[in-house]
Structures are given as C-alpha cells and as structure tokens.
Amino acid sequence: MLSGVFLLSMSVGRYPLSPAEIISAVLQRATGHDYGVKAEAVSIVMDNRFIRAVSGALVGAALASSGCAFQGLFRNPLVSQGVLGVSSGAGFGAALSILLFSGTAFAPAFAFLFGVCAVWMSFLVARVCGEVTVLMLVLGGTVISSIFSALLSFLKYVADPYNQLASIVFWNMGSLASVESSTVPAAYASMLFGMLLLLLYANKINVLSMGDREAFSMGLDVRKTRAMVVMGATFSTAGAVCIAGTIGWVGLIIPHMARFFVKSDNRRLIPFSMLLGAVFLMSTDILCRTLTGAEIPLGIMTSVIGGPFFIYLLKKYKGGGWK
C-alpha cells in the first residue's frame, strides 16, 4: 500500500509520468546510463517529486506517531501532537523568521527552535505546583499554546500585508510545495530520531497509560519515561513542522484509524500509525495537487477530513475514557 501510494505521488502532477518512466528516471540518475527518459523528466522525478513524496511519508509518520504516543501518555483519546505547544511555537518561530529576514530561508530553523522551546516552557509551567503531572503538563501546554498563538497574531498584524503576511499565512497552512533540499537532512534526522525513540519506549507507554501509581508500583521511572516520550514526540513534530508547516488533525485521527486494526498495544499501534500516517498524508497531498488548478494547502484538506472525524470521536468518547 505504501509503495503504491508513493509511486502514485511521483506520477501525478502537471507533468504526468508513467511508473515505467519514473523507474527509468531513477535508474538514469543513479547509474548515469541513458534509459530513454528526457532530462526534464529526470529532473522532475529526482529533484522535486521524489523529495516531496519522501517528505510527505516522513511527516505523516512523524505526526501520527507523536499523536499516538501522547494519547497513551496523557490517557486521553482526544489529544494530538500539538498538545504541549510545539505546533504553536513552531508557527510563531517561522513567522518571526519571515518578518526578520523577509523570506522563508531561515523559517525551518526558527520553527524547530521555537517548537522545542514551547515544549520546554510547558514543562516549566507544569512545575509551578512541584510535581510534573499529566494534568499540569496539559494545562501548561494549553497556556503556552495560547501565548504563542497570540504572538503569532501580533506578527501577522505588524507584517507587511503585500509580502510578508502572505508568506506567514501560507506557511502556517501547511504544504509540501516548498520543501527545500537544504533543510531536508536536519529535518529528516529529527523526525527519524524522534520516531525511533517512541518505538523504543512503546512498551513503557503501555505501562504509563495505566496511571502513574500503577507504573511506579511496577518499577517504572515515571518521570524519566515521560520526559523521553515527550522528547521523542517533540523532535518528531518539530522536524515535520520544519519542512511542511503547521498541519493539524493527523496526530489525532490516524491513531484512532490504526486502532481499528491493531487495538491499543503501542508496540504495534505506534508503527502501524506511522505506516497509516505516511499513506494518509501522501494521499492527501495528491488530492491537494489534483483537485483544482491551484494547489490546496495541506492544512486545509486535513481539517476538512479531520473535522467530521473529530465529531465522531466526541460522540464515541463522550465519557472521557477509552471504549
């Protein structure tokens, strides 16, 4: 399924290509031999669509795994990857970069920096009452998200409406259209590191989902485990936001779709959420590129899909717990 959607992602566009042409273009670039593919087709496949498809797969996997981990960590089926403010902080960082440098060249670096900073600030707020509990973390994340959202609104207010404002708005809508090869290595490394950390701690997330007292009685270092899971989810989400902007709903709806197939054991749920998230985001990106003449931002399409699904979740989990 993943390979099929990946191949389809590289096939569709203003310059449609057949699977045979794509494979020939890859071989031609890799080996240097002439397989009868035009140079412009090779450039389209290798310099644009290949990076875009890989980025879409990694971003979808990173957001889905982060949301899945947070739902287990906070024992709440209605939280997503942005619960600790990483998305709001990253959005503010990117907007600040656009305002300071009149362009998006430094937006990924600023987005990553402020995304991580937002999560750190959420921890500081949670420590106001001493022990960092799940409830205080959620409250801290809510406060920090609200502050960064307000700061982002202020930057939009003071931005140049003819140039900077459009860039800020478009970046925060989320898109894979502006993925640059210069920012790909660092963002990929961040996402892969975060996802690997979540996979390593999947079984411990199962224990944490039973509650802090039960986890402590079973010999689990609750504080360290929670910090490592948050770090993994933060690096995954921050890396995704670096190259794709703010994309909502993926971390909320994909883990629930995955539970239809593998239930709630995070040892299977997290990797399956990664697979499903990669397929979902690449498929959504294909729709964004083909539905209209102009490309639709990813954040709009995921919201259109995620909104009705969230209503379903509210009905299913109206008691606040898992069913």
Side-chain angles (χ1 to χ4, degrees):
M1 180 172 61
L2 179 62
S3 58
V5 175
F6 187 87
L7 193 60
L8 180 63
S9 179
M10 292 200 294
S11 300
V12 299
R14 295 183 181 273
Y15 193 100
L17 296 168
S18 67
E21 288 176 313
I22 293 172
I23 295 173
S24 298
V26 173
L27 291 174
Q28 188 163 311
R29 173 65 66 86
T31 64
H33 296 294
D34 187 5
Y35 285 86
V37 182
K38 296 180 180 179
E40 61 181 5
V42 175
S43 178
I44 289 172
V45 171
M46 299 305 298
D47 300 331
N48 186 293
R49 293 184 186 174
F50 180 78
I51 295 177
R52 180 166 185 155
V54 172
S55 298
L58 283 177
V59 168
L63 296 178
S65 60
S66 299
C68 181
F70 275 155
Q71 287 173 9
L73 178 67
F74 295 117
R75 304 189 297 279
N76 189 330
L78 301 180
V79 302
S80 64
Q81 76 280 353
V83 67
L84 295 184
V86 61
S87 298
S88 299
F92 168 78
L96 181 63
S97 169
I98 293 171
L99 206 65
L100 292 176
F101 303 104
S102 299
T104 58
F106 297 98
F110 272 65
F112 182 85
L113 177 64
F114 279 91
V116 174
C117 180
V119 176
W120 176 69
M121 293 172 67
S122 298
F123 263 94
L124 291 183
V125 174
R127 292 187 62 183
V128 168
C129 291
E131 185 68 22
V132 180
T133 63
V134 168
L135 177 60
M136 289 305 298
L137 268 178
V138 173
L139 292 177
T142 302
V143 170
I144 297 304
S145 293
S146 177
I147 291 174
F148 275 113
S149 295
L151 292 174
L152 176 59
S153 297
F154 175 75
L155 293 184
K156 290 180 180 179
Y157 176 74
V158 300
D160 176 12
Y162 300 103
N163 185 14
Q164 296 172 330
L165 181 59
S167 297
I168 292 174
V169 171
F170 181 79
W171 198 92
N172 278 279
M173 285 182 180
S175 175
L176 294 172
S178 57
V179 175
E180 298 180 1
S181 57
S182 60
T183 61
V184 159
Y188 283 9
S190 175
M191 288 187 285
L192 290 172
F193 170 74
M195 287 188 285
L196 177 60
L197 204 57
L198 294 179
L199 288 173
L200 292 175
Y201 277 80
N203 190 45
K204 293 183 178 181
I205 296 175
N206 287 335
V207 179
L208 276 178
S209 64
M210 294 187 294
D212 289 358
R213 290 185 179 180
E214 289 78 2
F216 183 78
S217 67
M218 295 177 67
L220 186 69
D221 188 336
V222 174
R223 182 179 300 179
K224 177 185 175 182
T225 302
R226 183 182 293 136
M228 296 300 288
V229 172
V230 169
M231 183 170 70
T234 299
F235 272 82
S236 296
T237 304
V241 176
C242 277
I243 59 175
T246 306
I247 301 175
W249 298 98
V250 178
L252 174 63
I253 64 177
I254 295 302
H256 289 285
M257 292 181 180
R259 286 186 186 92
F260 292 144
F261 301 96
V262 296
K263 303 304 179 182
S264 296
D265 185 350
N266 284 285
R267 290 173 295 181
R268 292 181 296 168
L269 182 61
I270 290 179
F272 194 78
S273 294
M274 291 178 181
L275 173 63
L276 207 57
V279 172
F280 173 78
L281 202 67
M282 283 194 294
S283 302
T284 305
D285 183 53
I286 292 172
L287 290 176
C288 290
R289 285 187 281 154
T290 57
L291 284 180
T292 62
E295 183 172 327
I296 303 173
L298 266 174
I300 294 177
M301 188 62 67
T302 56
S303 296
V304 169
I305 298 172
F309 194 83
F310 186 70
I311 296 173
Y312 162 75
L313 293 181
L314 287 175
K315 180 180 179 181
K316 184 176 181 180
Y317 298 115
K318 58 185 178 181
W322 302 88
K323 290 188 178 180

